[in-house]
Amino acid sequence: MSEKTSPKNVEYGLEKIFEGAQDFLPLLGTDYVEFYVGNAKQAAHFYKTAFGFQSHAYAGLETGMRDRASYVLKQDKIRIVLTTALNSDSPIGEHVKKHGDGVKIVALWVDNARSAYEETIKRGAKSYMEPTVETDEHGEVVRAGIYTYGETVHMFVERKNYKGEFLPGYQKWESDYNPAPTGLKFIDHMVGNVGWNEMNTWVKWYEDVMGFVNFLSFDDKQIHTEYSALMSKVMSNGNGRIKFPINEPAEGKKRSQIEEYLDFYEGPGVQHIAVATDDIIKTVADLRSRGIEFLSTPPEEYYKAVPLRLEAHNHELQEDIEKLMALGIMIDADEEGYLLQIFTKPLEDRPTLFFEIIQRMGARGFGAGNFKALFESIEREQEKRGTL
Ligand code: FE2
């Protein structure tokens, strides 16, 4: 029996995604997400305190790293790396100067980094880093990287012969300050914003170079408000573990949030990281109490309409709607189930990267039914920033 029709995949409905996907690039999952930031020590404190990430590994002057400092934080399956330059003559500093704090590397866990690199380069990828073997007393890791949109990179990480904390060169990071986790489990999807009329170029790039398939699309007729619009296509790898929606701005009466992102990030880049929880009420209440700011709560009419929206698909809400409303959590439904989601405000001074917290109750979509309410909320923020 081929992997494509195994009972487990059929059970999850992934056979739909498999159709047309190619397996020259088997991906086991997201390995880590690396941010280039102005001050990694302070950023690490923020992600620990506010999001409940745990101290995991460190590299810097004390470990023999002379040009950068990197803090690795972990929460369940999520691993983020916060990296800063230690001198002015650094590509990390240049990246921060141009984009502000943002995601540089979306690393993908593979069984064979050399083959991942060769197969994608052969299909037109631009090289960031040739296959490189790093070793220490815990074994070896092979990494290789290619550019995706803007200056963002996909790094292939092969760690089957490694038993260390993170990567060679890193030490275990023991800290006396360990705020509790907030229930974040894994990365559900990561969204990229690309320039005007570039969405289809990048859709084709993910299809041709990475073997991904486009399994959902939203156009500007579905995603718009009175003022602005966007278009979005969701790309997935063959086993459905990696999902990258790609947005481009669309013409509207005023400046869309995608355009605002592109202006302030000064180019394409990662717009949001969606992290899954299995108790969104608890997670969001916790995050709010730690100072995370979310987009404003939709109006009461939105919550009044929720039961009807779920009934239309024969689903019953298991959570207390009063609690969802009090926390500003939004609900969307499709044939397969529903989902609960909420978006933070941008996490930097530039209105660029933000986080989404998501709990899936069977639905495999991305909250298209919430886009209008969401954008109106974002536009209220843009209005305050004078960027609408
Ligand atoms: Fe999302």
Side-chain angles (χ1 to χ4, degrees):
M1 183 185 288
S2 82
E3 198 191 1
K4 292 187 181 188
T5 53
S6 75
K8 191 161 179 233
N9 292 327
V10 170
E11 179 190 326
Y12 288 109
L14 292 179
E15 76 286 2
K16 284 186 208 154
I17 297 176
F18 273 123
E19 274 170 33
Q22 298 170 59
D23 44 17
F24 59 81
L25 182 59
L27 301 175
L28 304 171
T30 309
D31 194 281
Y32 65 90
V33 180
E34 184 165 6
F35 301 62
Y36 280 0
V37 299
N39 186 331
K41 179 178 277 211
Q42 290 187 3
H45 186 77
F46 169 78
Y47 282 98
K48 283 170 69 170
T49 305
F51 281 100
F53 281 94
Q54 306 294 300
S55 307
H56 186 59
Y58 169 78
L61 293 172
E62 298 82 350
T63 70
M65 189 85 87
R66 305 313 296 176
D67 63 339
R68 62 177 70 189
S70 293
Y71 296 77
V72 187
L73 302 174
K74 214 178 160 198
Q75 188 162 180
D76 207 316
K77 291 193 172 63
I78 312 161
R79 199 153 43 189
I80 63 172
V81 183
L82 301 157
T83 294
T84 199
L86 294 180
N87 56 62
S88 61
D89 179 26
S90 160
I92 299 160
E94 289 302 315
H95 197 275
V96 173
K97 182 184 172 193
K98 184 166 176 62
H99 303 294
D101 288 6
V103 172
K104 174 64 178 178
I105 293 174
V106 176
L108 302 166
W109 178 27
V110 297
D111 216 37
N112 187 333
R114 286 184 188 85
S115 139
Y117 181 82
E118 280 157 21
E119 294 293 332
T120 50
I121 292 289
K122 199 164 77 188
R123 289 170 170 82
K126 185 178 153 204
S127 177
Y128 170 74
M129 184 173 101
E130 287 185 8
T132 306
V133 182
E134 293 155 297
T135 55
D136 67 10
E137 69 271 27
H138 304 294
E140 69 166 47
V141 173
V142 189
R143 289 192 300 160
I146 59 170
Y147 279 100
T148 173
Y149 46 78
E151 291 195 276
T152 316
V153 166
H154 286 317
M155 187 75 84
F156 302 117
V157 184
E158 172 188 329
R159 51 170 73 255
K160 59 177 182 279
N161 298 315
Y162 193 65
K163 295 199 161 51
E165 286 304 324
F166 178 55
L167 292 174
Y170 284 78
Q171 283 179 359
K172 188 174 169 55
W173 176 18
E174 307 263 20
S175 172
D176 294 333
Y177 178 63
N178 301 297
T182 57
L184 305 178
K185 300 277 181 198
F186 59 88
I187 294 178
D188 184 276
H189 60 277
M190 294 187 68
V191 181
N193 282 341
V194 300
W196 291 96
N197 306 311
E198 285 181 4
M199 180 177 65
N200 288 330
T201 307
W202 287 104
V203 165
K204 194 166 167 6
W205 186 91
Y206 275 101
E207 285 170 349
D208 294 349
V209 174
M210 304 274 285
F212 280 36
V213 284
N214 170 216
F215 87 103
L216 271 177
S217 299
F218 311 99
D219 65 24
D220 48 346
K221 284 173 201 68
Q222 290 163 281
I223 313 181
H224 70 99
T225 65
E226 191 188 344
Y227 298 123
S228 64
L230 72 74
M231 294 191 275
S232 188
K233 289 191 175 176
V234 183
M235 305 307 294
S236 173
N237 80 317
N239 61 19
R241 285 183 203 172
I242 309 290
K243 289 186 279 302
F244 294 144
I246 301 168
N247 297 332
E248 75 171 21
E251 291 291 351
K253 273 193 225 163
K254 294 194 177 181
R255 181 154 67 160
S256 80
Q257 47 151 323
I258 309 303
E259 211 177 336
E260 184 193 41
Y261 176 100
L262 295 169
D263 288 350
F264 281 92
Y265 199 71
E266 299 193 14
V270 172
Q271 179 211 35
H272 75 265
I273 302 173
V275 288
T277 169
D278 50 24
D279 188 349
I280 197 166
I281 290 175
K282 193 162 177 287
T283 295
V284 172
D286 199 357
L287 293 172
R288 282 191 182 278
S289 76
R290 293 165 184 236
I292 291 291
E293 295 180 324
F294 294 93
L295 291 175
S296 57
T297 303
E300 219 180 319
E301 303 83 71
Y302 169 92
Y303 288 96
K304 280 191 186 141
V306 163
L308 290 173
R309 284 170 63 197
L310 269 89
E311 261 169 44
H313 294 288
N314 295 315
H315 307 309
E316 202 179 323
L317 189 67
Q318 287 173 36
E319 293 74 18
D320 178 351
I321 196 153
E322 295 294 329
K323 281 188 186 160
L324 296 174
M325 186 161 76
L327 291 165
I329 296 164
M330 299 191 288
I331 304 104
D332 194 26
D334 62 23
E335 303 81 61
E336 293 163 304
Y338 65 93
L339 62 82
L340 304 162
Q341 64 183 170
I342 189 167
F343 299 85
T344 72
K345 289 184 181 176
L347 298 173
E348 318 72 18
D349 291 296
R350 297 195 199 192
T352 53
L353 179 76
F354 58 90
F355 272 48
E356 171 183 350
I357 313 299
I358 184 166
Q359 181 178 355
R360 293 188 180 278
M361 302 295 286
R364 286 200 293 142
F366 295 83
N370 286 326
F371 286 169
K372 195 176 163 69
L374 174 66
F375 290 2
E376 283 167 353
S377 170
I378 291 176
E379 283 165 10
R380 286 193 289 275
E381 298 292 327
Q382 280 183 265
E383 185 93 68
K384 286 185 217 160
R385 294 194 282 261
T387 59
L388 184 61

